[in-house]
Amino acid sequence: MNNLLPTHYFLLLAALLTQPSLFQSSYHEYQEALSKSILFFEGQRSGYLPQDQRVTWRANSGLSDGWSYNTDLTGGYYDAGDNVKFGFPMAFTTTMLSWSVIEYGDSMPPNELRNSLVAIRWATDYLLKTVSQPDRIFVQVGDPYGDHNCWERPEDMDTPRTVYAVDAPNPASDVAGETAAALAASSMAFRSSDPGYAETLLRNAIKAFQFADSYRGAYSDNSNIRDGACPFYCDFDGYQDELLWGAAWLRRASSDDTYLSYLQNNGKTLGADDNINEFGWDNKHAGLNVLVSKEVLEGNMYSLQSYKASADSFMCTLIPESSSSHIEYTPGGLIYKPGGSNLQHATTISFLLLAYANYLERSSQFVSCGNVNVGPQSLRQQAKRQVDYILGDNPMGLSYMVGYSDRYPQRIHHRGSSLPSVKDHPEFIACKEGSIYFNSSNPNPNVLVGAIVGGPSHDDSYDDNRDDFRKSEPTTYINAPFVGVLAYFAANPNFS
């Protein structure tokens, strides 16, 4: 089913896996990878595509989104290889793209900073629409069961474009809290280039947070939402972390002491001390602790010391030399968490390693991990190992970013990429007619440049198989934090 390495090569590699340094020798074009990681988002666009659209095999789609509510919900991103717009992961993607620009925008080449802001704005223009009506938030467009039952180009979509909305006093603290974080973070990203837009974003972030905090609970607990959101983007880990996360971003974006007090007074009751070592679209704990630690490290805000203690603890779990290390690694050195789509963990954790390293360096501090002291250099080395693994320094000798290097996944689980483009095949391809392309062993005809797939198994193996979506499907929230990570290494190519 794949054209990767021959079997005898795997046997040789298995014998050599005790020497992971063998896979740490390649030179990588981080600048090229950065450009491609941003370009990926153009392949995920929904709505009317602009004249300067660079992913030319895509065309307009989802142009009637919102009609059932007599409102415009066009735009935004498809989160992965399907054609549904899930608000929860889209908002998280936006937060991480914005955080990437906040931390590393100054060191990005001007054209890539501009492309990053365009990618953010494609999401924020849509997110503003989702909170445009009083006491209501739109959380999803598209019936996932109808969509997943078809293998269909977004341009051909004839599956139900069901609109899922939460009206007060029903709860949506998770989606509204993450939307508040996304709009607050993006307001910082746009502050210098478009202050008027930044102000609009911040004003709506405050409004979204008020909804999140006033009507507490998970959006997927609503009976009219559950069947559409679950099991895809259910809130599995509770809504409390999104309240703290939203407040933390509003504090950083506005410097308003109201949000400082919120973080001080609600940390315990909302589970900030649970010290959960996770960070992703559903669980913000580790990211929250790193974000808030900036105020402790750089602003001497000792009333938030408990957040920093949790961030320190998280960093120590990532350091193999530490007595509290307990993160699992593959034999080839990749951070591994069971459950599929593993590279989302590797990219988000790499981002946190670099962000925390920055905060430590600016305040001339280190992390005490029991028997070892860990400084910024060590954290960056951990991140670089993950980056280089993803870009090809791994037992498969495979780049997990599509279009980077000469060996990358050819059969990604992605409808638009795997079906002939409307430019090459203008005739309508119906729901089940796409199955022949899904089941084909041929490489995808459209290369989704910059897409990072779910990634390898715990033993570093990877089958280039469209059917294995956990490994072969790219997502926006895998790519978003990687933009910042690549921006750092592109600006510091000789880091070792």
Side-chain angles (χ1 to χ4, degrees), residues 12 23 37 50 65 85 140 153 158 246 264 282 311 378 415 434-435 445 455 463 467-468 470 483 488 491 496:
L12 173 63
F23 310 116
S37 70
D65 285 359
K85 297 191 302 203
Q140 184 173 320
R153 299 178 298 200
D158 53 1
Q264 293 166 337
D282 187 32
S378 178
R415 285 159 176 76
S435 299
D463 294 320
D467 190 37
D468 190 354
R470 288 181 178 84
V483 170
Y488 174 81
S496 61

Side-chain angles (χ1 to χ4, degrees), residues 156-466:
D156 285 338
M157 268 191 297
D158 53 1
T159 51
R161 299 302 287 169
T162 310
V163 174
Y164 298 84
V166 176
D167 293 315
N170 296 302
S173 299
D174 32 29
V175 183
E178 185 61 68
T179 300
L183 296 174
S186 57
S187 76
M188 296 179 67
F190 282 102
R191 191 166 289 160
S192 60
S193 62
D194 193 339
Y197 188 60
E199 182 56 38
T200 297
L201 293 167
L202 184 56
R203 187 172 65 251
N204 282 275
I206 293 167
K207 187 170 69 171
F209 184 76
Q210 288 169 342
F211 187 106
D213 196 38
S214 298
Y215 313 110
R216 292 190 179 186
Y219 87 120
S220 49
D221 286 347
N222 293 299
S223 58
N224 66 317
I225 304 297
R226 187 181 302 117
D227 289 344
C230 300
F232 313 102
Y233 293 104
C234 248
D235 186 331
F236 297 99
D237 290 315
Y239 62 87
Q240 295 88 343
D241 52 329
E242 276 83 26
L243 290 174
L244 293 169
W245 178 241
W249 274 111
L250 278 162
R251 163 65 180 171
R252 186 156 173 191
S254 68
S255 300
D256 189 330
D257 286 344
T258 304
Y259 300 107
L260 173 62
S261 299
Y262 191 98
L263 292 168
Q264 293 166 337
N265 299 332
N266 291 281
K268 276 193 165 37
T269 56
L270 293 177
D273 293 342
D274 291 353
N275 203 10
I276 299 168
N277 296 319
E278 287 278 348
F279 188 46
W281 62 264
D282 187 32
N283 197 318
K284 312 298 155 35
H285 280 90
L288 166 71
N289 293 327
V290 167
L291 178 67
V292 175
S293 294
K294 179 181 168 65
E295 286 219 49
V296 183
L297 288 163
E298 297 181 20
N300 299 317
M301 193 66 70
Y302 295 115
S303 61
L304 300 173
Q305 180 65 36
S306 63
Y307 292 90
K308 180 186 176 294
S310 294
D312 285 352
S313 173
F314 175 63
M315 293 299 151
C316 292
T317 69
L318 301 171
I319 304 299
E321 302 77 34
S322 164
S323 56
S324 56
S325 172
H326 67 245
I327 293 288
E328 185 180 346
Y329 289 86
T330 68
L334 179 68
I335 288 170
Y336 188 81
K337 288 179 176 287
S341 196
N342 181 62
L343 289 185
Q344 65 181 305
H345 304 297
T347 62
T348 53
I349 289 172
S350 296
F351 184 96
L352 295 183
L353 283 163
L354 292 179
Y356 209 57
N358 278 358
Y359 304 158
L360 289 171
E361 188 167 75
R362 289 185 206 130
S363 54
S364 301
Q365 296 193 44
F366 58 85
V367 179
S368 177
C369 296
N371 52 333
V372 292
N373 289 331
V374 178
Q377 183 83 350
S378 178
L379 297 181
R380 287 171 179 145
Q381 285 169 341
Q382 291 297 109
K384 188 173 186 295
R385 289 188 194 109
Q386 301 307 301
V387 175
D388 289 349
Y389 183 108
I390 291 170
L391 294 180
D393 292 358
N394 56 63
M396 296 292 291
L398 185 72
S399 164
Y400 289 105
M401 176 185 282
V402 173
Y404 178 85
S405 90
D406 57 356
R407 297 193 67 253
Y408 53 81
Q410 303 288 318
R411 301 166 188 83
I412 67 172
H413 183 97
H414 189 278
R415 285 159 176 76
S417 172
S418 67
L419 290 153
S421 77
V422 290
K423 308 281 172 65
D424 297 329
H425 188 291
E427 296 80 20
F428 176 73
I429 301 175
C431 170
K432 295 302 185 183
E433 290 175 1
S435 299
I436 60 167
Y437 300 100
F438 174 76
N439 294 320
S440 168
S441 60
N442 294 330
N444 289 6
N446 308 307
V447 180
L448 184 57
V449 173
I452 303 170
V453 296
S457 295
H458 63 93
D459 60 357
D460 297 299
S461 65
Y462 182 83
D463 294 320
D464 192 6
N465 186 341
R466 201 174 291 117

